[in-house]
């Protein structure tokens, strides 16, 4: 069918990029009463969306970028939903060259926040607003209500906010959308959200692996355990998803589907970005890091093949108290999840300070309660903790979370110890426990490391009993100390 001629300056908002995420976001906007301009590089895709979903609301389709921009009412708002990187830059230039001062370009893809900062600065010089926006919830979230994390200027949120808040998920009557902060803040917090997601998925996987190897449980039996856990403090979307995956039976083989899926976990880069950025900021995100490395290990067939037959623990794992062990694994899972969230929020705090972003951590936790992949029951408590103390330096230091860490600690230690003794890898369980032990330690071996650095590189050190930087003359007799 031929597309109708778009009416000039009539659309409230536009979406270019009619892949699944883009078309679902456009449909969400239209269903909520907005006139939505739609466009795709291939006009056939635009026609397909218009033909199949035109009855859901008012769409204004365009065959080319000129008509698409012309169909937007002032100040114009155009959402980009294309592949991150060069394709996004290309579409931004196509839009910017046709827009006027005060218009708004919104990138709702998973762009690297440094790219967003660069783009925002460049478009600001041209009189345009650029809004890097994190959108979480996958295809269903985009269609029915995601968690939305817009950055950019406060002025752009005045125009975008009411629309984004309306189409977002809602929890207790509150929208899962809020203004995050200047330039790249929106994409930054979405990046860290995805990093936490990596850790969350990995610890659930470690719990599954422990229960299967130690107790010989089937995937369906573990699904029943997870379903029970999901009724309590572990209540979360990812636990719910895990139950469904573990219960699924493969139609072709009649085996549990999880046993047919190749055990190589893919990644699209946000987990790695989270870890790389944390290293730049000097923030330990050990749980997220180990989860990211675990995916890399799972996808290293040559190394894994070379290691088959390596020595391990030959002793059979006989669990004397089945129910007690299951409870230990539950508590270890919960404590490790708390550490991952705590580390993620620390990374956001460090970035906010480094880049001058005024991020409300309580509000951020609030909008993650619905729509997004890491939505979980305890986000309510995270919101409470940061609302009570916006500068809280350590989330697991909040009384609510500390009490739960202390309660889980004996179980956590038993699980990590038994996994190590029996050769079962638990990288996030164990690294999260080590982080807890490290952060609570009054003295760390870093003093020796500073001595080593000063010995071979004259990097200096600080003293516990005096101000300033000091260096020991290691090569001289008597090794005198000098203050630098």
């Amino acid at each position: 069918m031929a597309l109708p001629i778009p009416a000039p300056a009539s659309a409230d908002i536009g979406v270019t990029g009619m892949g699944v995420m883009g078309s679902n976001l456009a449909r969400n906007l239209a269903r909520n009463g907005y006139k939505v301009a739609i466009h795709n590089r291939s006009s056939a895709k635009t026609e397909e969306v218009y033909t199949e979903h035109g009855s859901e609301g008012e769409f204004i389709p365009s065959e080319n970028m000129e008509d698409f921009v012309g169909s937007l009412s002032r100040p114009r708002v155009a959402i980009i939903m294309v592949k991150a990187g060069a394709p996004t830059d290309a579409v931004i230039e196509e839009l910017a060259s046709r827009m006027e001062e005060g218009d708004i370009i919104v990138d709702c893809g998973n762009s690297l926040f440094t790219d967003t900062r660069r783009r925002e600065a460049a478009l600001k010089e041209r009189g345009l607003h650029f809004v890097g926006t994190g959108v979480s919830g996958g295809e269903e979230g985009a269609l029915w209500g995601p968690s939305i994390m817009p950055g950019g200027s406060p002025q752009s949120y005045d125009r975008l906010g009411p629309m984004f808040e309306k189409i977002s998920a809602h929890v207790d009557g509150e929208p899962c959308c809020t203004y995050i902060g200047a330039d790249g803040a929106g994409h930054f917090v979405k990046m860290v959200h995805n990093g936490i997601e990596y850790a969350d998925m990995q610890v659930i996987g470690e719990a599954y692996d422990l229960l299967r190897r130690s107790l010989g449980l089937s995937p369906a039996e573990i699904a029943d355990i997870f379903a029970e856990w999901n009724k309590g403090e572990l209540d979360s979307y990812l636990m719910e998803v895990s139950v469904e995956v573990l219960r699924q039976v493969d139609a072709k083989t009649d085996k549990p589907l999880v046993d047919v899926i190749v055990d190589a976990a893919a990644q699209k880069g946000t987990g790695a970005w989270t870890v790389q950025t944390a290293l730049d900021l000097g923030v330990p995100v050990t749980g997220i890091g180990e989860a990211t490395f675990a995916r890399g290990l799972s996808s290293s067939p040559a190394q894994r093949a070379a290691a088959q037959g390596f020595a391990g623990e030959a002793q059979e794992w006989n669990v004397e108290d089945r129910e007690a062990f299951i409870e230990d694994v539950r508590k270890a899972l919960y404590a490790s999840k708390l550490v991952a969230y705590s580390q993620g929020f620390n990374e956001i705090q460090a970035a906010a300070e480094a880049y001058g972003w005024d991020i409300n951590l309580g509000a951020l936790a609030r909008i993650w309660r619905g729509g997004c992949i890491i939505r979980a029951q305890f986000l309510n408590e995270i919101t409470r903790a940061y609302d009570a103390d916006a500068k809280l330096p350590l989330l697991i230091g909040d009384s609510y979370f500390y009490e739960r860490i202390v309660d889980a600690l004996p179980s956590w230690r038993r699980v990590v110890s038994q996994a190590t003794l029996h050769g079962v890898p638990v990288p996030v369980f164990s690294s999260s426990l080590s982080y807890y032990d490290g952060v609570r330690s009054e003295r760390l071996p870093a003093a020796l490391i500073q001595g080593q650095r000063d010995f071979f590189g004259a990097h200096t050190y600080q003293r516990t009993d005096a101000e300033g930087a000091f260096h020991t003359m290691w090569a001289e007799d008597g090794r005198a100390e000098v203050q630098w």
Side-chain angles (χ1 to χ4, degrees), residues 39-59:
H39 168 265
N40 195 74
R41 184 171 58 86
S42 165
S43 59
K45 186 64 178 177
T46 307
E47 182 177 331
E48 178 186 326
V49 173
Y50 183 71
T51 302
E52 293 183 6
H53 305 292
S55 62
E56 297 177 9
E58 190 167 352
F59 295 97

Side-chain angles (χ1 to χ4, degrees), residues 85-115:
T88 295
D89 280 318
V91 176
I92 288 172
E93 184 53 39
E94 279 192 87
L95 288 168
S97 64
R98 294 169 171 83
M99 286 183 157
E100 300 174 80
E101 186 174 349
D103 289 347
I104 304 168
I105 299 174
V106 187
D107 176 14
C108 285
N110 271 337
S111 291
L112 181 60
F113 79 98
T114 49
D115 287 340

Side-chain angles (χ1 to χ4, degrees), residues 392-409:
L392 182 66
L394 185 68
L395 180 61
I396 57 172
D398 171 77
S399 59
Y400 176 88
F401 293 113
Y402 176 67
E403 288 172 7
R404 275 142 190 84
I405 290 283
V406 170
D407 176 67
L409 195 55

